[in-house]
Amino acid sequence: MKLLVCISKAPDTTSRIAFTDGDKRFDESGVQFIVNPYDEWYALVRAIELVEAHGGSVTTITVGDTTCDPIIRKALAIGASDAVRIDANPTDSSQVARLIANYANDKSYDIIFAGKESIDNNSSAVPAMIAECMDLPYVAFATSIDVDGDVSTLNCESTGGTNNVTVHGAFVLSATKGMAEQKIPNMRGIMSARTKPLTVVEDSGVTAPTEVSKFTLPPAKGDCVMVDADNAADLVRLLREEAKII
Amino acid sequence: MSVLVYIQTQDGTATKAGLEVASFAKNMNVGDVTALVSGTLSGDGGLGSVGVSKVLHFSEAVTDNAQLSKLTQAAAKNAAASTIVFSGNNDGNAIAPRVAIALNVGYVSGVTCLPEGKTFTRNVFSGKATAAVNVLSDVRVISITPNSFGIKPDAVDASVETFSADIGAQRVVINGFTPTSNDGSVPLPEAERVVSAGRGLKGPENWGIVEDLARALGATTACSRPVGDMGWRPHHEHVGQTGLTIRPDLYIACGISGAIQHLAGVNQSKVIVVINTDPEAPFFKAADYGIVGDVFEVLPKLTEAIKAL
Ligand SMILES: Cc1cc2nc3c(=O)[nH]c(=O)nc-3n(C[C@H](O)[C@H](O)[C@H](O)COP(=O)(O)OP(=O)(O)OC[C@H]3O[C@@H](n4cnc5c(N)ncnc54)[C@H](O)[C@@H]3O)c2cc1C
């Protein structure tokens, strides 16, 4: 089995969110980066489990500059076989997808994994876009996968329920909760990650059809109106008369 | 110029998410709204009521997102659409990016309000910020965050046209579908009212009071991550940074501390009510209304007061 897992760096979930360059760019100063949780906990860990069971290799692929190297080493420590980094600074999901597809096109991966979304951009777009670029089937929001030869069977979250689906041959999936349990790298993993191959690939040059003109932080919330616990009915009155919500 | 909307139906009628997408498209005010529907359709599927003037009906029910991408591209060509709108639910999010790549145009997902010209606003950093995104291509594909715009009635006469297109072969085959809720409540991402509970409920056997309140309000239930992880509640109820992001009109948090990762998924709710025994719980800082109290006493009282309305 030859698996490719897309991983991106994301700000730690407790990071302070701030912007620079006239509010056009995320301010990375002082921010701790992690592997995007959906990519790590669900996509990467399940891919490693499949290779442990069936044999083969798990390659991770990341689009970004050298600041991504620590999270790539983390993925290798968890158990990926090798890593590829496309040396580019994308500003749009389609750029990321096209760069990955350009790289993967002639490499005959059996399955391309990604997380269901990144926790910074939240677009949920890259895996579907890779699938379209490569004319592959796409199974979105997968919560489980079993592989038997050329046939993969998955559960995936659709609107209002779960679909059980089958797909033959190569495809792209996005992984969400349920796919696997978080895996903490052990000492041996961390040591071996240092010597596993990380190939840096040149930017194949694709342009972005969108651009962020401005990031904005949400307005501060007003004070919370406190209601006495003995007078819970008063809350219901406020929700109706003041908030006009029920 | 026209706008094409991809509409999901249930039993031949547009879903709530579908009507919202059509409303959004109509209110963009950039031309006629054409709807694309695949599968069973009765009449105009209710789409004329929200301003759709033409429905393109592909009679076969299509589920494979690669085929739906091809179908949407053909419909966009037929309607000469400059904007193609999807609901930002799981199904829409699987098709829309494919269409944008195939047409080689810009894609903006999770749009939360009407655009200003070619600039769309979307949430980023799991709801901790918004981004204004310019689309540089002449045509654009967008998906809109469920329940962010609402349904705005605007009745017109909708014509229904049978539509056919070459959509290629189906490669992802559905063997079966299990609905997440069998009680008929609205799916969480589309719910206008949500009652959510956390570890403060102590154990799964105590969820009766949460469900009672939800039922009285016509709300959908949700939970914090540890509650999903411990199996007290099904995974699909988990909201937050690593779960669902929702924006209901009313979010009632019961026995949830309000950790930053939880807030990320719910802080765009229009009104937040927090019930917690700890007056220092961080959630109160994000709340509109709060009760410092024990959920086991407060929830039944609230349920009663709502029933008495
Ligand atoms: C990378 C990462 C991602 C995460 N993603 C998410 C996510 O998506 N969603 C999420 O929810 N969490 C997420 N978390 C976990 C998050 O940090 C919190 O641990 C979690 O939200 C806490 O859940 P809780 O509020 O139910 O439990 P607790 O923090 O244990 O809070 C329980 C609350 O109940 C109150 N309480 C106790 N008894 C009562 C009573 N009788 N009546 C009223 N109140 C009572 C307590 O005062 C307390 O405030 C994530 C964490 C990490 C590190």
Side-chain angles (χ1 to χ4, degrees), chain B residues 199 202 224-225 238-239 241-242 257 261-262 276 294-295:
Chain B
R199 274 214 294 232
K202 311 276 193 287
S224 68
R225 179 172 150 217
H238 158 197
V239 293
Q241 189 144 27
T242 48
S257 57
Q261 298 93 352
H262 184 87
N276 198 305
D294 186 338
V295 287

Side-chain angles (χ1 to χ4, degrees), chain A residues 13 38 120-122 132 135-136 138 157 159-160 162-164 166 177 209 211 213-214 216 218 225 227 242, chain B residues 65 90-91 98 122 125-126 128 130 132 134 136 171 173 175-178 180 229 238 242 261 288-290:
Chain A
T13 53
Y38 292 106
D120 50 2
N121 200 37
N122 303 110
E132 188 71 18
D135 191 22
L136 290 174
Y138 171 47
E157 288 174 359
T159 306
T162 306
N163 281 321
N164 181 267
T166 302
K177 189 160 183 161
E211 67 181 16
S213 59
K214 192 178 169 48
T216 312
V225 175
V227 177
E242 193 178 88
Chain B
N65 50 55
N90 283 8
D91 298 331
R98 295 196 79 128
R122 60 184 303 264
F125 295 96
S126 305
K128 291 174 204 164
T130 58
N134 294 335
L136 308 171
R171 292 177 294 180
V173 177
N175 310 312
F177 176 75
T178 317
T180 37
D229 283 352
H238 158 197
T242 48
Q261 298 93 352
D288 299 285
Y289 297 95

Side-chain angles (χ1 to χ4, degrees), chain B residues 16 20 146-148 185-195 218-222 246-251 269-270:
Chain B
K16 185 174 168 234
E20 183 177 36
N147 204 39
S148 62
S185 62
V186 187
L188 199 42
E190 291 169 30
E192 284 162 18
R193 297 170 182 181
V194 173
V195 179
T220 302
T221 51
I246 55 173
R247 49 180 305 146
D249 299 336
L250 175 64
Y251 183 77
S269 308
K270 281 158 209 149

Side-chain angles (χ1 to χ4, degrees), chain A residues 12-51:
Chain A
D12 181 79
T13 53
T14 54
S15 303
R16 192 181 70 94
I17 304 299
F19 302 100
T20 142
D21 270 4
D23 288 334
K24 280 185 174 13
R25 213 160 50 80
F26 176 57
D27 183 359
E28 298 196 353
S29 57
V31 171
Q32 178 78 30
F33 284 97
I34 57 172
V35 185
N36 179 47
Y38 292 106
D39 305 349
E40 178 192 329
W41 301 357
Y42 308 132
L44 175 63
V45 174
R46 187 63 189 134
I48 292 168
E49 287 171 358
L50 285 173
V51 161

Side-chain angles (χ1 to χ4, degrees), chain B residues 38-73:
Chain B
S38 92
T40 319
L41 178 69
S42 45
D44 69 356
L47 289 160
S49 73
V50 285
V52 170
S53 46
K54 184 155 117 189
V55 182
L56 297 176
H57 179 215
F58 189 84
S59 56
E60 202 186 317
V62 186
T63 55
D64 186 328
N65 50 55
Q67 291 182 301
L68 284 163
S69 166
K70 288 203 172 68
L71 182 60
T72 308
Q73 292 163 48

